[in-house]
Amino acid sequence: MNTMITGKLKLTGILLLTLVGLSCSDDDTEELMPEPSMDELEIGSGNNQGVIGRDFHFNARVIAGSTIDIVQININPMEGETYSNAWSFEIVWDDFKGLKNSTVHKHFDIPEDAPEGRFEFKITISDENGTKLEETYEVNLIDPENLPVDPYLYLWFTESSSENVYFVNELLENPEEIVFAKNDTITSQVSIRNVKDDGQLYILFIKKSADHLPESLDDIDFSKAIVYDVFAHENETEVFTFTNSIRDPDTYEIIRGLPEFIFGAQSDNYNPTSNSIEGEKAWENGEYYFGIIYENFTHNVSVYHYMEATVKGF
């Protein structure tokens, strides 16, 4: 065989092997896909606590690597802990599927068969690109009978100068067709039972269009919320019913009366300094949330309730 031809064949063979090798190398190299991330995390009430048989609050801002697939919560026993019965819990949400990012704000009940104790609270964010984020925290589940305080809304009574009266009792059934008109003057009394130590109450009006429904005092955005009343209790060593109106138990004389509030006022009843009602929360016709938030600072537990009201005449 011609030596020159043989050399060309060898060279061609080497080039082919090199190209094949490069191709295989490219196929073996996995493209790193972006993973999801999470922040602004809120688990249960203060100190990552949940009450057995009751509502549990979960919040997280999720940013997907590409787009969200599912968000999953698992509550599992912790190694080294002892429980009264075997129990675990899982919940999966797919209503965020296909979104690039979202605030996952959910409420679910802790099942009544859950035992008390410390548990692993695992959050899994699965991405549609095949990646996932897993983070584990500790959560404490407690029987409601063992709560140091167990606040609940007992009565909420509102009266307007238009001779309308609205009330909510402990069944939390809201009145229908709540209407407040420009220049209406209202008073509103709230009673929260089973509290002690230190706590504070806010009564708020918030436009529905503001898309703001705070569940704790730290969540309140005062650029969106109009304050009807704010009132606190301190150093109460015995369990009692807290209300924003106080009378002397012997003489029944008013010690702290209900504040008045006029629809159309230029400022609200925030204490110690009122806030101007302008900008994003300026008065307008439409639908409002009328709500209360009570928070017990000592025991890290909150109570909130909202009803819807129509404001007119502006």
Side-chain angles (χ1 to χ4, degrees):
M1 179 182 285
N2 186 297
T3 304
M4 185 176 293
I5 293 173
T6 303
K8 287 181 178 179
L9 288 171
K10 287 181 179 180
L11 180 60
T12 302
I14 292 169
L15 288 172
L16 285 171
L17 288 170
T18 303
L19 289 171
V20 169
L22 288 172
S23 176
C24 290
S25 176
D26 288 343
D27 289 342
D28 291 341
T29 302
E30 274 191 31
E31 182 181 356
L32 294 176
M33 301 299 291
E35 297 179 351
S37 61
M38 176 177 60
D39 59 13
E40 298 182 7
L41 186 62
E42 299 171 10
I43 300 173
S45 59
N47 295 332
N48 289 22
Q49 178 175 281
V51 181
I52 296 168
R54 302 225 185 135
D55 176 80
F56 188 91
H57 162 85
F58 174 75
N59 186 90
R61 187 173 68 116
V62 174
I63 301 174
S66 59
T67 50
I68 300 168
D69 184 15
I70 61 169
V71 178
Q72 180 173 325
I73 299 297
N74 290 85
I75 306 177
N76 295 314
M78 290 183 67
E79 187 175 349
E81 291 292 306
T82 302
Y83 307 95
S84 61
N85 57 282
W87 180 83
S88 61
F89 178 81
E90 177 179 287
I91 189 167
V92 178
W93 299 299
D94 61 3
D95 41 327
F96 306 97
K97 189 177 181 68
L99 299 178
K100 172 62 180 175
N101 55 69
S102 180
T103 295
V104 178
H105 184 99
K106 290 290 186 178
H107 287 262
F108 57 90
D109 287 343
I110 299 296
E112 293 186 356
D113 63 341
E116 281 194 318
R118 295 163 57 236
F119 289 82
E120 288 185 348
F121 188 91
K122 183 179 179 182
I123 308 164
T124 304
I125 312 295
S126 297
D127 201 292
E128 289 189 317
N129 66 16
T131 64
K132 65 173 58 176
L133 171 71
E134 293 182 342
E135 293 187 3
T136 301
Y137 299 84
E138 182 180 313
V139 67
N140 183 49
L141 301 185
I142 186 168
D143 190 303
E145 293 184 358
N146 296 327
L147 289 169
V149 295
D150 191 12
Y152 67 92
L153 174 59
Y154 175 67
L155 184 65
W156 182 9
F157 184 90
T158 302
E159 185 173 7
S160 79
S161 56
S162 298
E163 299 184 352
N164 293 319
V165 175
Y166 309 105
F167 72 91
V168 179
N169 61 21
E170 57 191 307
L171 298 178
L172 303 181
E173 296 173 349
N174 286 336
E176 297 180 356
E177 298 182 4
I178 303 172
V179 178
F180 299 111
K182 183 178 181 180
N183 296 324
D184 272 355
T185 300
I186 68 162
T187 56
S188 190
Q189 182 173 4
V190 173
S191 297
I192 307 291
R193 283 196 165 177
N194 289 350
V195 306
K196 69 174 184 176
D197 299 313
D198 299 346
Q200 191 169 40
L201 168 73
Y202 275 82
I203 306 177
L204 307 169
F205 286 96
I206 305 173
K207 292 178 188 177
K208 289 185 70 175
S209 60
D211 192 26
H212 180 55
L213 213 60
E215 298 175 2
S216 68
L217 300 190
D218 286 342
D219 292 338
I220 300 173
D221 183 344
F222 291 103
S223 69
K224 299 177 180 179
I226 298 170
V227 178
Y228 162 74
D229 197 12
V230 53
F231 192 50
H233 63 84
E234 295 180 341
N235 303 319
E236 297 286 351
T237 58
E238 301 295 329
V239 174
F240 76 112
T241 297
F242 173 59
T243 177
N244 58 330
S245 177
I246 302 176
R247 292 178 180 267
D248 185 287
D250 298 320
T251 65
Y252 209 60
E253 292 182 0
I254 296 175
I255 298 174
R256 201 262 185 183
L258 295 173
E260 292 187 343
F261 183 72
I262 301 175
F263 282 83
Q266 295 183 350
S267 57
D268 67 11
N269 289 341
Y270 186 83
N271 188 16
T273 304
S274 61
N275 297 317
S276 296
I277 302 175
E278 59 185 3
E280 192 172 355
K281 62 182 180 182
W283 291 112
E284 63 181 38
N285 296 326
E287 300 302 310
Y288 280 68
Y289 291 119
F290 185 26
I292 66 107
I293 304 175
Y294 167 80
E295 185 165 339
N296 192 285
F297 304 128
T298 307
H299 303 284
N300 295 304
V301 61
S302 296
V303 172
Y304 64 91
H305 185 77
Y306 288 91
M307 48 189 168
E308 297 181 6
T310 299
V311 172
K312 64 179 185 179
F314 290 92

